[in-house]
Amino acid sequence: MAEQLAGDRVIDGVHYHQNDIVIIGAGGAGMRAAIEAAQGADTAVITKLYPTRSHTGAAQGGMAAALANVEEDGWEWHTYDTVKGGDYLVDQDSAEILAKEAIEAVLDLENMGLPFNRTEEGKIDQRRFGGHTRDHGKAPVRRACYAADRTGHMILQTLYQNCVKHGVKFYNEYYALDMTMTEVDGAMRPSSIVALDLKTGDLHVFRAKAFIFATGGFGKIYKTTSNAHTLTGDGMGIVWRKGLPLEDMEFYQFHPTGLAGLGILLTEGARGEGAILRNASGERFMERYAPTIKDLAPRDIVARSMVQEVLDGRGGGPNKDYVYLDCTHLGAEVLETKLPDITEFARTYLGVDPVVEPVPVYPTAHYAMGGIPTNNEAEVLADNETVVPGLYAAGECACVSVHGSNRLGTNSLLDINVFGKRSGRNAVEYVKAADFVDLPDDPAKFVRELVDRLRTSTGTESVAGLRRELQETMDINAQVFRTSETLTEAARVIHSLRERYPQISVHDKGKRFNTELLEAIELGFLLDLAEVLVYCAMKREESRGGHMRDDFPERDDKNWMHHTMAYLTGEPTSPDPSDHIRLDKKDVRFTRYEPTERKY
Ligand SMILES: Cc1cc2nc3c(=O)[nH]c(=O)nc-3n(C[C@H](O)[C@H](O)[C@H](O)COP(=O)(O)OP(=O)(O)OC[C@H]3O[C@@H](n4cnc5c(N)ncnc54)[C@H](O)[C@@H]3O)c2cc1C
């Protein structure tokens, strides 16, 4: 644009702001980044939710770090577990960073004031979690630091308080909907984020030298999910629409213990404290699937075993469609003190009291292993190697890749702290030397047109209707078990929903607090991401970690030991996504662990 702006200004109804660093998202990753960034540069955070309402606050069970406070442990064992847990698709140098820096990450939080549960001697207490073992798989180890079953809540509150202390500027209830990019010396660089202020409906252009995406996951592509209503993958969608790649999107995690029929999460910390999964006849079936660590096997294995029990007719309830989480032997005191929230969830939502009866559970869509590809410095990649200058990503929206094809429980709260911190620190270094990039002539054009189109549409489709159809097809066709047939059906439905999407109309034509309009835009992101997931899953003809193909049940290291990089190349013209999505491969980085058969 002709006039490049320095301070906050309003031109033609659009508000312009300028900061050194703009962070999109105020969950754990965004706020951990902000604490670093604000100490070295002028930093603003844009967030569609009030920071303390971000999904990180719903995390229950814990954050992994080999502190060895209650028994022998070490970062090398943690690295091994992370690599094996991810079914060897983890970049091993990244996993080493995660496990080594875990210790500092926990101590940082402790120093910021986080009230962890303590041992009798006053050290941070640690509990068991799935896939975390001593000495390369010999037995479960106590590695998860926790604050009852409200660990994420405590992390989020602690980080927020420290952001306030460091003077981070928050733009609460601002929805980032687009990123402008400008070519500089032959490379595309981000120049601004365009956001809509929920309260007024006004558009805001945030210019900065560096941007950090920390927008979380996209579990709302599924109907049965542990994820909050707001987890619609906006950040990933914005980056995707710019032609930048998304990595490993076929790997989506199903958490074993969702409340049956609802998907609300019961933390794996329950099994960490000793709870047991049983089928309808009371059998502890995990003994058959993972004889060494049983109920504490990684989530992909436990979720598959549960579904298998149901498929084989051993499920409970009138429709035999769930199994049970038995906590009765833990006793009321453990449940009320170490697992109070989930005890209450079971009572409130299912009318079942875990103190005296087993709780009906079934896998629930939980976590995106894939996302915006970054290197170990949290810099976003434009292809397998090239960094996009000034663009960073961290947390669930990013793919480093420390989780490979299946994330271990408690490694996400860790990921957001380790790589959130790295992104903030590196962005500060970057902006010291970098200039602002020129803005395009009318940076808000794309969002203005999108919003106007939705607001004035007279079509007959509804947001809720299309979203329900999307979620239902994903639950049926892209779940724990998949086949070429089910995935092709999902792709067909998604294509038809995309064709109907322009016919959406919103009842609320106003500007202020128009959540219906924003849900329509979020649905657009959900459709994009569901399609990429399904297409990558169709193409990966093997089973690994969270991706289980019934028609290709074995892991195939010869042909598939690589990451998937997906690129948007044009407009869809048919139900076959190959006309507008290109898939590429990216090597997995190995340091010391050769892939072996994955037994637990
Ligand atoms: C119920 C539940 C329990 C969990 N328990 C654990 C656990 O015990 N241990 C563990 O390690 N992991 C756990 N996880 C996973 C972990 O909590 C998440 O992966 C992690 O907290 C994600 O953090 P984040 O900062 O990346 O994203 P989030 O915390 O989801 O934050 C995303 C932020 O992005 C903002 N945002 C999104 N879109 C936009 C937009 N368009 N414009 C502006 N802002 C936007 C939101 O406002 C929000 O502030 C759990 C997850 C769930 C759902």
Side-chain angles (χ1 to χ4, degrees):
M1 68 193 298
E3 199 180 353
Q4 297 292 335
L5 305 143
D8 288 2
R9 308 263 296 269
V10 185
I11 300 172
D12 295 337
V14 178
H15 304 247
Y16 289 83
H17 312 267
Q18 183 166 300
N19 298 90
D20 289 335
I21 299 174
V22 163
I23 298 169
I24 308 102
M31 291 207 282
R32 189 65 193 85
I35 290 169
E36 295 306 305
Q39 293 179 65
D42 175 26
T43 301
V45 178
I46 307 171
T47 171
K48 72 179 183 182
L49 300 172
Y50 273 101
T52 48
R53 300 192 65 177
S54 303
H55 191 71
T56 297
Q60 303 169 352
M63 169 170 163
L67 301 180
N69 277 0
V70 279
E71 59 185 325
E72 188 186 358
D73 200 4
W75 68 262
E76 197 268 322
W77 293 352
H78 186 183
T79 308
Y80 171 81
D81 290 337
T82 301
V83 169
K84 183 177 169 189
D87 219 348
Y88 296 92
L89 203 77
V90 172
D91 286 326
Q92 297 188 7
D93 55 338
S94 313
E96 282 177 19
I97 291 172
L98 183 82
K100 274 190 204 163
E101 294 185 9
I103 294 158
E104 185 182 277
V106 169
L107 298 182
D108 280 354
L109 289 170
E110 185 183 38
N111 291 335
M112 287 183 211
L114 195 144
F116 283 111
N117 273 45
R118 300 274 162 181
T119 63
E120 297 217 329
E121 318 84 84
K123 292 181 181 170
I124 294 172
D125 198 11
Q126 299 190 273
R127 57 161 62 133
R128 296 188 178 120
F129 243 82
H132 291 279
T133 68
R134 65 179 307 280
D135 195 8
H136 310 95
K138 299 233 164 65
V141 75
R142 294 179 191 274
R143 188 177 288 148
C145 309
Y146 66 99
D149 56 359
R150 303 179 186 122
T151 316
H153 173 83
M154 296 302 182
I155 290 178
L156 206 58
Q157 299 292 331
T158 304
L159 292 177
Y160 184 59
Q161 286 161 8
N162 280 272
C163 282
V164 172
K165 177 172 143 189
H166 291 296
V168 175
K169 205 181 302 166
F170 285 98
Y171 290 89
N172 296 330
E173 300 192 323
Y174 280 61
Y175 284 63
L177 300 177
D178 187 29
M179 170 172 71
T180 61
M181 295 190 81
T182 308
E183 193 178 325
V184 184
D185 300 332
M188 295 307 280
R189 281 172 53 182
S191 48
S192 74
I193 288 290
V194 185
L196 186 147
D197 174 7
L198 180 67
K199 188 164 67 193
T200 61
D202 286 352
L203 297 185
H204 291 247
V205 173
F206 292 87
R207 190 180 186 213
K209 294 178 185 173
F211 300 86
I212 304 174
F213 274 93
T215 44
F218 62 100
K220 287 316 267 190
I221 58 171
Y222 289 98
K223 182 168 151 216
T224 311
T225 174
S226 68
N227 279 201
H229 192 65
T230 53
L231 289 175
T232 48
D234 312 356
M236 293 184 203
I238 290 170
V239 166
W240 170 248
R241 289 175 184 178
K242 292 286 141 188
L244 293 169
L246 292 176
E247 181 173 349
D248 287 345
M249 292 296 282
E250 61 272 45
F251 298 108
Y252 199 90
Q253 176 168 85
F254 293 83
H255 191 297
T257 52
L259 286 179
L262 299 171
I264 296 170
L265 194 77
L266 298 187
T267 175
E268 193 172 297
R271 279 172 288 136
E273 296 291 347
I276 289 168
L277 288 162
R278 299 188 189 280
N279 59 23
S281 53
E283 184 205 4
R284 184 181 192 179
F285 58 87
M286 281 312 298
E287 285 180 333
R288 275 187 276 120
Y289 297 95
T292 310
I293 60 174
K294 305 181 178 83
D295 301 271
L296 287 175
R299 289 176 180 168
D300 56 333
I301 295 175
V302 180
R304 268 199 300 280
S305 309
M306 292 167 69
V307 175
Q308 197 60 53
E309 289 299 295
V310 165
L311 290 174
D312 292 347
R314 291 189 286 274
N319 301 320
K320 297 184 166 195
D321 56 357
Y322 52 73
V323 298
Y324 297 97
L325 183 70
D326 182 1
C327 307
T328 52
H329 53 290
L330 300 183
E333 200 195 322
V334 168
L335 286 169
E336 301 290 357
T337 56
K338 291 190 166 176
L339 301 162
D341 275 6
I342 64 154
T343 302
E344 215 40 56
F345 289 167
R347 287 174 184 151
T348 307
Y349 298 109
L350 286 187
V352 170
D353 186 353
V355 176
V356 292
E357 56 192 321
V359 185
V361 289
Y362 196 72
T364 181
H366 185 59
Y367 183 85
M369 268 73 74
I372 304 166
T374 72
N375 60 18
N376 288 337
E377 303 308 323
E379 296 169 304
V380 171
L381 299 174
D383 53 37
N384 287 4
E385 279 145 28
T386 317
V387 163
V388 182
L391 191 57
Y392 299 80
E396 190 169 339
C397 73
C399 178
V400 182
S401 142
V402 287
H403 308 303
S405 60
N406 173 60
R407 171 175 74 80
L408 290 188
T410 68
N411 266 356
S412 176
L413 290 181
L414 176 57
D415 175 5
I416 63 179
N417 277 285
V418 167
F419 289 97
K421 181 175 181 178
R422 281 179 164 245
S423 68
R425 204 179 56 200
N426 292 331
V428 168
E429 284 311 307
Y430 175 82
V431 301
K432 281 184 191 159
D435 291 329
F436 285 97
V437 176
D438 284 348
L439 293 176
D441 275 344
D442 180 5
K445 182 168 186 275
F446 172 80
V447 177
R448 189 188 308 112
E449 288 176 359
L450 176 71
V451 167
D452 285 350
R453 211 166 39 241
L454 282 164
R455 206 184 266 129
T456 55
S457 162
T458 53
T460 53
E461 298 287 358
S462 78
V463 178
L466 261 57
R467 189 174 53 215
R468 189 168 49 245
E469 286 185 48
L470 170 70
Q471 292 172 337
E472 280 172 0
T473 195
M474 291 301 286
D475 265 22
I476 295 168
N477 295 311
Q479 246 264 1
V480 173
F481 290 101
R482 302 138 177 212
T483 63
S484 166
E485 210 176 314
T486 64
L487 293 165
T488 306
E489 171 61 9
R492 188 192 65 74
V493 174
I494 294 168
H495 179 72
S496 81
L497 294 173
R498 291 176 68 117
E499 284 190 324
R500 288 159 59 195
Y501 181 74
Q503 307 310 318
I504 280 183
S505 71
V506 292
H507 297 288
D508 183 352
K509 308 287 181 194
K511 275 187 85 184
R512 292 168 187 275
F513 286 102
N514 195 337
T515 49
E516 193 188 2
L517 177 86
L518 286 157
E519 286 194 18
I521 299 175
E522 289 171 338
L523 173 63
F525 292 129
L526 288 176
L527 287 169
D528 283 0
L529 297 172
E531 186 179 48
V532 192
L533 185 155
V534 164
Y535 185 49
C536 294
M538 282 163 92
K539 287 293 168 188
R540 187 174 281 271
E541 296 186 333
E542 65 153 357
S543 290
R544 181 187 299 273
H547 173 66
M548 174 73 204
R549 286 282 299 258
D550 253 353
D551 42 356
F552 297 94
E554 302 301 325
R555 193 177 86 194
D556 176 0
D557 288 346
K558 190 159 157 275
N559 295 305
W560 290 102
M561 179 56 88
H562 59 72
H563 300 289
T564 312
M565 298 283 274
Y567 297 81
L568 180 67
T569 54
E571 287 294 315
T573 52
S574 77
D576 177 4
S578 67
D579 66 355
H580 63 286
I581 300 177
R582 177 170 67 83
L583 292 191
D584 221 335
K585 299 174 181 177
K586 181 166 160 235
D587 289 341
V588 177
R589 293 191 300 273
F590 291 87
T591 55
R592 58 178 101 179
Y593 306 110
E594 282 300 314
T596 55
E597 201 188 343
R598 190 160 163 261
K599 284 200 169 143
Y600 284 94

